[in-house]
Amino acid sequence: MLDRESRVLEFGHVLERLAAQARSAPGKALCQALRPHTNYAQVAHAQEETAQAEAIYYKLGYHPVPEFQDILPLLARAQVGSILSAGDLLTVGDALACARQVKALLRREEEDETPNGVRDMGAALYENRDLEEDIRRCILSPEEISDFASPELAKIRRQIRSGGERVTQKLNSYLHNPQLQKYLQEPIITIRADRYVLPVRQEYRSQVPGLIHDQSSSGATLFIEPMAVVEINNEIRQLRGQERGEIERILGEFSARTAGSSEALRQNQQILTELDFIFAKAALSREMRGVAPRLNQKGILNIKKGRHPMIDREKVVPLDIHLGREFTTLIITGPNTGGKTVALKTCGLFALMTQAGLHIPAELGSEMPVFEAIYADIGDEQSIAQSLSTFSSHMTHIVEILESAGKDCLVLLDELGAGTDPTEGAALAMAILQTLQNRGALTMATTHYSELKAYALTQPGMENGSVEFNVETLSPTYRLSIGVPGRSNAFEISRRLGLTGDIIEKAREFLSAEDIRFEDVISSAEENRLMAEKERQVAQQARQEAQQARLQAQQLERELAAQREKMLAKAREQARSIITRAQAQAEETVRELKRVKNAQDQAERDKVIAQQRSRLRGELGKVLETVGGPVAGSGQPPKDLKPGETVKVLDLDTRGTVLTRPDAKGEVQLQVGIMKLSSPISNLRRVEVQQTAQPAKRGGGKSVKLNNARSVNLELDVRGQNVEEALLEVEKFLDNALISGLSEVNIIHGKGTGVLRSGIQSHLRHHPHVAEFRLGRYGEGEGGVTVVKLK
């Protein structure tokens, strides 16, 4: 890929964002050096690595590679026999710890048998716990070696401390001697050149025999080592030399161990850098909400809801771009600042990102081919030094493109043919596009020339596209539409900006009849497209609502089946209880009849039989009450049922309201709670409902009779209304539902901006008849429906 194309398509900005996700300096350098591949297998491998790393990233919740330093220079020094410093060895220990931690994090779980090259890279990391722990134990900081680094070092340091204590005791005797105190500038012991000394006044130099090691800046104080401690200080100085030698020996030993593992440590550095780079790609994908594009070798480009990664995610307008199936050349027209160049750059940048192994900020299902080369002529690069005009600069670069572009190439041309005579420029543009198409390149070009719009309409393999522009607000929508050429809207924009109508009309006179008819055709096509888009959205919404209704019906069907099964189980239990009681009663009756069988007194036999008959009737009444309760009417299936009447559904042991007259099969539609169902008349019994009169308001002598069988809808749809209108409908709806005895109703307000939902729920929160409310669940309309439970 050419560096110029990477620059004009802003691929470098993407690499900067990628490098910001890396944790180490070597990883950042690898990110900055990333270049797109042109081999399909390499691209597929790079994309797979990013996907595998992203899966691990999501599972862990963070970048698994900690920050580490470049140890390659240290390893090179250790291999030639140099002694590494304590700080250098701590860096080596950090590298070993980093490799051990990453290996543990990426260790494949026992049940995870899916191939994963990223985990395999982690498994290949070298561990040396002995060297790592020895470095940590022996080296406390870049300036300090532990006493426990070796027995010899510990012994030397004990002797140094012992000598220091002897010197201190000797010098303390000077400090506490009243005769000597007057010779001292201060009663303290200090150190000069690693030797213990006393600060003696200049005038008393002869009174304190010893060696002078230093004097103050003013010369008033001399730092003298008394002769009594010279020998002890000499011993301490000799011990410190032994200490330095032992430390150097220890560091040399660690350096030799590091050199012995240098190849494994160098491999660790390479693997950790690669892992840091791969997980940086995963982190960038997560930040951009990117997806792995489906790769193909058919030259098909299909970007779904693509978002340019350098535009604010909250402001960018997603683009749908496709090439390579029905057509290989797309000509995009429309007004300036409408988003034509952004569409070109988005397409080219996605191609570069894909072939570099990066995910693209688009929707799942986006497809990208692997291009051998990507060419882009975007922007004005006129050169004063080379005396090149805008047209010359563009044409120079286009000539270079035409020399190389062919099959499996992507060519992006901005304002093709601009900067020269429109007639000649349009002719050149058509010739260039035709040449690129004949060579099999995928081409996207932007233009203002009407000739190119017409050319694309008649040329096989070419298609028009346009960016929308809102003439009312003089602002672009940045939406790209493929299949319809765009209008420049120059006259309308000029009118909105204040150009007088007579000038615009005069300008229209200079247009040819063909130009006017062509623009009218474009305008009509655009209006039809917008209308079709609106109808498509309405149809999509209707399809979603139908799907929701179907899901809701399925849910109700499941609930009804569960309720019916529950009722059947209850009925079986009641039947067993009835049979048991009937058997017991029959046995008792038989016993009583046997007892009076031989009785001589006819009156006594009649009395016993009457008692048993009465008892059986009582038991029968209990049974009827258990299975259905007292039913008003004749106990026969009702006749002449009318909508609105209340009936008892025998097999459900509940009441319902008749919705329709009996059909040819003798079945009626019923409303039972929130369910609607069909039932044969033989399964129903008419129930007489008492009509209760509500007391009239004071001052009036009338009363209102309400029928509990009154039918009311279970849901209210207020979509499209403002809050005030909707609240009036909601109030009336809740009153009717309460009067009809409903316990739960639905209010459909839609999702929209949420203003209507908030207003309705605020009203429900203080409504005296509302027990509680909630948003719909899955299958009930979710956030577009509020489910209300009444008191």
Side-chain angles (χ1 to χ4, degrees):
M1 300 296 173
L2 301 178
D3 290 338
R4 182 183 185 281
E5 273 62 30
S6 296
R7 185 179 70 255
V8 299
L9 294 174
E10 303 178 75
F11 185 61
H13 294 312
V14 175
L15 295 185
E16 290 176 3
R17 290 182 63 180
L18 176 64
Q21 302 293 339
R23 307 294 294 275
S24 67
K28 292 180 184 295
L30 194 57
C31 291
Q32 291 285 8
L34 177 63
R35 294 295 179 269
H37 306 288
T38 56
N39 179 272
Y40 182 88
Q42 291 177 322
V43 175
H45 176 71
Q47 285 288 339
E48 180 62 23
E49 274 187 343
T50 307
Q52 291 173 0
E54 188 175 30
I56 297 172
Y57 195 117
Y58 271 98
K59 185 174 182 179
L60 294 176
Y62 58 89
H63 192 313
V65 180
E67 183 178 357
F68 63 91
Q69 298 183 40
D70 185 3
I71 63 170
L72 295 182
L74 305 182
L75 297 178
R77 285 166 47 201
Q79 281 186 302
V80 298
S82 298
I83 297 177
L84 302 180
S85 67
D88 293 340
L89 290 169
L90 284 176
T91 301
V92 173
D94 289 341
L96 286 168
C98 177
R100 176 175 51 81
Q101 294 169 14
V102 172
K103 185 172 185 176
L105 284 173
L106 299 184
R107 183 172 289 117
R108 188 186 303 275
E109 300 176 4
E110 293 182 2
E111 65 274 11
D112 183 9
E113 298 180 357
T114 56
N116 192 309
V118 175
R119 291 193 187 277
D120 294 340
M121 291 174 65
L125 287 168
Y126 165 73
E127 289 186 85
N128 191 334
R129 292 294 292 269
D130 291 339
L131 179 58
E132 177 191 345
E133 292 175 359
D134 286 347
I135 290 175
R136 291 294 178 201
R137 176 177 56 83
C138 297
I139 304 176
L140 303 180
S141 72
E143 295 80 25
E144 184 178 4
I145 306 298
S146 171
D147 291 353
F148 304 104
S150 74
E152 183 64 22
L153 182 62
K155 176 185 175 182
I156 293 172
R157 286 181 172 176
R158 282 196 303 270
Q159 293 175 346
I160 291 174
R161 286 192 292 271
S162 175
E165 290 172 359
R166 287 158 52 204
V167 170
T168 302
Q169 289 175 359
K170 194 69 175 175
L171 293 179
N172 276 333
S173 65
Y174 280 80
L175 298 179
H176 295 95
N177 188 329
Q179 294 297 326
L180 295 176
Q181 284 182 355
K182 61 182 179 182
Y183 304 142
L184 303 177
Q185 192 72 287
E186 291 181 85
I188 61 172
I189 300 171
T190 185
I191 295 177
R192 287 293 185 276
D194 289 336
R195 301 178 78 90
Y196 292 93
V197 295
L198 294 173
V200 179
R201 296 180 180 179
Q202 170 67 31
E203 59 269 24
Y204 297 115
R205 157 73 185 86
S206 60
Q207 303 300 321
V208 183
L211 302 177
I212 299 174
H213 288 283
D214 198 4
Q215 69 177 1
S216 65
S217 58
S218 64
T221 303
L222 300 175
F223 296 95
I224 298 177
E225 178 186 7
M227 293 303 297
V229 299
V230 168
E231 187 60 32
I232 303 175
N233 272 335
N234 287 340
E235 292 178 6
I236 293 174
R237 192 180 187 92
Q238 185 178 5
L239 289 169
R240 290 199 181 279
Q242 295 176 8
E243 179 189 29
R244 287 192 293 272
E246 180 62 15
I247 289 175
E248 187 172 357
R249 186 195 68 79
I250 293 169
L251 295 179
E253 182 181 319
F254 277 122
S255 299
R257 293 173 66 182
T258 300
S261 301
S262 60
E263 289 304 321
L265 290 172
R266 186 175 283 105
Q267 182 182 1
N268 270 10
Q269 171 94 12
Q270 181 180 354
I271 293 174
L272 288 173
T273 302
E274 189 73 18
L275 286 173
D276 189 19
F277 162 69
I278 293 172
F279 279 102
K281 293 195 296 180
L284 179 63
S285 175
R286 186 175 183 181
E287 181 185 82
M288 296 189 307
R289 298 181 186 173
V291 299
R294 290 206 304 258
L295 300 178
N296 68 77
Q297 295 177 285
K298 301 177 181 179
I300 295 173
L301 182 149
N302 185 15
I303 298 173
K304 297 182 178 180
K305 304 299 181 186
R307 307 178 302 276
H308 194 289
M310 304 314 298
I311 301 177
D312 187 346
R313 190 167 59 197
E314 302 300 324
K315 298 178 181 179
V316 64
V317 177
L319 297 174
D320 291 314
I321 305 173
H322 58 92
L323 274 170
R325 284 195 175 94
E326 299 87 358
F327 54 90
T328 58
T329 301
L330 178 63
I331 300 174
I332 304 176
T333 52
N336 291 323
T337 72
K340 301 189 299 297
T341 304
V342 171
L344 289 186
K345 287 188 173 183
T346 300
C347 187
L349 186 56
F350 276 21
L352 292 175
M353 291 174 66
T354 297
Q355 295 183 213
L358 301 177
H359 288 177
I360 59 175
E363 285 193 354
L364 287 170
S366 296
E367 290 185 80
M368 295 295 295
V370 176
F371 296 106
E372 290 185 359
I374 298 172
Y375 302 99
D377 180 61
I378 299 175
D380 186 2
E381 295 191 358
Q382 61 177 319
S383 173
I384 297 177
Q386 298 178 10
S387 301
L388 293 179
S389 66
T390 299
F391 176 76
S392 299
S393 175
H394 280 293
M395 193 52 58
T396 299
H397 190 219
I398 289 173
V399 169
E400 296 173 358
I401 293 174
L402 291 174
E403 289 175 353
S404 305
K407 184 175 174 56
D408 296 327
C409 292
L410 175 64
V411 181
L412 307 171
L413 303 173
D414 192 24
E415 298 295 346
L416 181 60
T420 187
D421 178 76
T423 304
E424 293 181 353
L428 275 173
M430 286 186 279
I432 291 169
L433 293 175
Q434 184 65 65
T435 300
L436 291 171
Q437 185 185 36
N438 292 340
R439 293 183 182 179
L442 289 189
T443 306
M444 289 180 61
T446 67
T447 184
H448 284 286
Y449 293 148
S450 297
E451 292 86 348
L452 289 183
K453 304 176 191 178
Y455 181 66
L457 289 174
T458 59
Q459 187 69 21
M462 292 190 182
E463 186 60 270
N464 275 302
S466 61
V467 288
E468 296 178 6
F469 190 86
N470 190 328
V471 179
E472 300 296 326
T473 61
L474 294 181
S475 61
T477 66
Y478 301 109
R479 292 187 180 90
L480 175 66
S481 301
I482 295 178
V484 179
R487 301 179 62 194
S488 63
N489 293 303
F491 289 165
E492 292 299 326
I493 293 174
S494 300
R495 186 191 302 277
R496 293 286 177 178
L497 292 176
L499 192 64
T500 58
D502 58 330
I503 296 178
I504 293 175
E505 292 304 319
K506 178 62 69 177
R508 289 186 185 278
E509 294 176 3
F510 291 111
L511 291 177
S512 67
E514 292 182 359
D515 291 335
I516 295 175
R517 282 197 298 271
F518 185 68
E519 288 296 320
D520 289 342
V521 168
I522 293 176
S523 177
S524 176
E526 178 66 9
E527 291 176 1
N528 292 334
R529 187 193 65 79
L530 292 176
M531 185 179 300
E533 178 66 18
K534 290 180 180 179
E535 292 177 353
R536 186 190 65 80
Q537 293 176 355
V538 170
Q540 183 177 4
Q541 182 178 358
R543 184 170 63 253
Q544 291 175 349
E545 291 176 354
Q547 185 177 7
Q548 291 176 357
R550 180 169 53 81
L551 293 174
Q552 186 175 7
Q554 292 174 350
Q555 178 66 21
L556 289 175
E557 185 178 356
R558 288 192 294 270
E559 292 176 358
L560 180 59
Q563 184 178 1
R564 181 169 295 172
E565 184 60 32
K566 183 178 179 182
M567 290 179 176
L568 288 174
K570 180 180 178 182
R572 295 187 192 101
E573 184 62 31
Q574 290 176 345
R576 283 194 294 270
S577 176
I578 292 168
I579 292 171
T580 302
R581 289 192 343 225
Q583 288 176 341
Q585 185 64 38
E587 292 173 357
E588 185 179 351
T589 301
V590 170
R591 287 196 298 271
E592 287 295 325
L593 291 176
K594 286 181 178 179
R595 185 177 64 80
V596 301
K597 181 177 180 181
N598 299 321
Q600 297 297 324
D601 189 352
Q602 182 65 35
E604 182 180 355
R605 289 199 300 271
D606 293 342
K607 181 179 178 181
V608 170
I609 292 172
Q611 289 175 347
Q612 294 303 318
R613 183 181 290 115
S614 177
R615 180 179 299 175
L616 288 173
R617 286 175 178 170
E619 291 297 326
L620 179 60
K622 293 179 181 179
V623 168
L624 290 175
E625 185 176 355
T626 300
V627 299
V631 180
S634 64
Q636 298 298 322
K639 298 179 180 179
D640 300 324
L641 278 176
K642 299 177 181 178
E645 289 191 78
T646 299
V647 294
K648 180 151 189 170
V649 186
L650 298 182
D651 60 352
L652 296 181
D653 189 21
T654 186
R655 292 186 178 190
T657 303
V658 177
L659 299 179
T660 64
R661 293 183 178 275
D663 57 15
K665 298 180 181 179
E667 294 184 350
V668 296
Q669 292 285 329
L670 300 175
Q671 179 77 52
V672 180
I674 64 171
M675 299 181 295
K676 290 183 179 180
L677 52 87
S678 298
S679 176
I681 298 176
S682 59
N683 188 39
L684 307 176
R685 296 293 183 270
R686 183 180 274 111
V687 177
E688 296 296 334
V689 180
Q690 297 291 331
Q691 293 186 350
T692 58
Q694 302 292 335
K697 296 182 179 179
R698 293 182 181 179
K702 296 181 180 180
S703 62
V704 180
K705 294 184 178 181
L706 300 176
N707 190 340
N708 287 341
R710 180 180 179 181
S711 177
V712 67
N713 289 332
L714 295 176
E715 59 186 26
L716 172 67
D717 190 343
V718 295
R719 287 176 295 181
Q721 301 182 15
N722 58 37
V723 176
E724 290 77 11
E725 294 172 344
L727 290 181
L728 291 175
E729 294 290 331
V730 168
E731 190 67 24
K732 186 189 304 181
F733 175 63
L734 293 179
D735 288 342
N736 291 338
L738 186 69
I739 292 172
S740 299
L742 300 181
S743 60
E744 185 176 283
V745 293
N746 297 338
I747 299 176
I748 304 173
H749 43 65
K751 297 179 181 178
T753 61
V755 174
L756 186 57
R757 180 185 66 237
S758 299
I760 290 174
Q761 292 187 349
S762 177
H763 181 69
L764 295 175
R765 196 170 287 113
H766 305 289
H767 198 284
H769 300 320
V770 174
E772 61 181 15
F773 62 90
R774 61 175 173 80
L775 286 176
R777 300 189 182 96
Y778 181 77
E780 294 180 336
E782 302 177 12
V785 174
T786 295
V787 181
V788 183
K789 287 189 177 181
L790 301 175
K791 295 181 179 178

